[in-house]
Amino acid sequence: MSNERARPRILVGTTNAHKIVELGALLDGLGCELVLPSDVGLAGFDVDETGETLMANAVLKANAFAARSGLPALADDSGLEVDALGGQPGVRSRRYAGEDASDADRIALVLANLTRVPEAKRTARFRSVIAFAAPDRLIGTGSGTVDGVIDVAPHGTHGFGYDPIFLVDGHRPTMAELTPAEKNAVSHRSRAVESIRPVLEAWLDGQHLDSSLPS
């Protein structure tokens, strides 16, 4: 019989396939087993994003996935904030062009609303907030941003969401022209993960300590 202890399990609280891939890469090497909603019978589980801020929605999702699964859960909410649009789409980034809109629809609406805005005033940022919750409590949060400028047309085939029109640091390439590894080195989500990493590491240390105590 093996004496190797099972690694602590953390549920990735999203059914967005793109986010699952990014978070999996960003959390690689953390020393835990990442569990997907489909692994625990939650493939169709969804959480209404009723919060008025990205933080509120991230906490809502982490709490809901943790309570439903019985596992600690990590969830994020992200948004594009365009200065010339008063910070929109912001917390409504996914719903900006309607509940059933595609990424292309949302991009088209942002570009249409910026038609008469000169390049110097097309400043924007991606913001991500990540929450980590146990089934009975919120454990901690983290956040990250990356600044840029909105391009006049979409470019690139990588990434998702508004990536094809977001010029990182205000110049080429767009986020969608970066490879996944390049994006993970500079993205708002990678910075949010780094922000919350000490919280995750402290929780994992506690789990390892508890498992070493005699029962």
Side-chain angles (χ1 to χ4, degrees), residues 143-213:
S143 63
T145 62
V146 59
D147 293 318
V149 168
I150 302 303
D151 205 350
V152 295
H155 295 91
T157 57
H158 298 298
F160 60 101
Y162 297 96
D163 287 354
I165 57 171
F166 188 83
L167 294 165
V168 183
D169 293 328
H171 52 78
R172 303 224 80 82
T174 66
M175 193 76 86
E177 291 176 299
L178 299 175
T179 67
E182 289 170 337
K183 178 181 177 181
N184 286 342
V186 301
S187 77
H188 51 305
R189 191 164 290 112
S190 68
R191 293 173 182 179
V193 167
E194 286 306 303
S195 174
I196 202 172
R197 186 175 290 274
V199 173
L200 299 175
E201 291 174 343
W203 180 83
L204 287 167
D205 285 345
Q207 299 303 299
H208 291 310
L209 179 61
D210 288 346
S211 67
S212 69
L213 296 175

Side-chain angles (χ1 to χ4, degrees), residues 24-62:
L26 293 169
L27 293 166
D28 185 45
L30 190 61
C32 62
E33 178 186 354
L34 295 179
V35 180
L36 305 183
S38 58
D39 297 330
V40 291
L42 297 180
F45 184 61
D46 197 12
V47 180
D48 289 335
E49 297 179 347
T50 57
E52 295 184 1
T53 64
L54 297 176
M55 176 69 75
N57 282 335
V59 170
L60 274 173
K61 290 188 281 188

Side-chain angles (χ1 to χ4, degrees), residues 95-172:
R95 304 178 297 280
Y96 188 53
E99 290 291 342
D100 298 322
S102 66
D103 285 348
D105 295 331
R106 290 184 279 270
I107 286 172
L109 182 56
V110 168
L111 293 180
N113 288 338
L114 292 175
T115 299
R116 299 182 182 279
V117 178
E119 180 180 351
K121 295 186 179 297
R122 297 168 73 98
T123 53
R125 70 204 51 80
F126 271 130
R127 188 182 305 277
S128 174
V129 177
I130 292 184
F132 182 51
D136 61 344
R137 65 188 176 95
L138 177 67
I139 298 174
T141 62
S143 63
T145 62
V146 59
D147 293 318
V149 168
I150 302 303
D151 205 350
V152 295
H155 295 91
T157 57
H158 298 298
F160 60 101
Y162 297 96
D163 287 354
I165 57 171
F166 188 83
L167 294 165
V168 183
D169 293 328
H171 52 78
R172 303 224 80 82

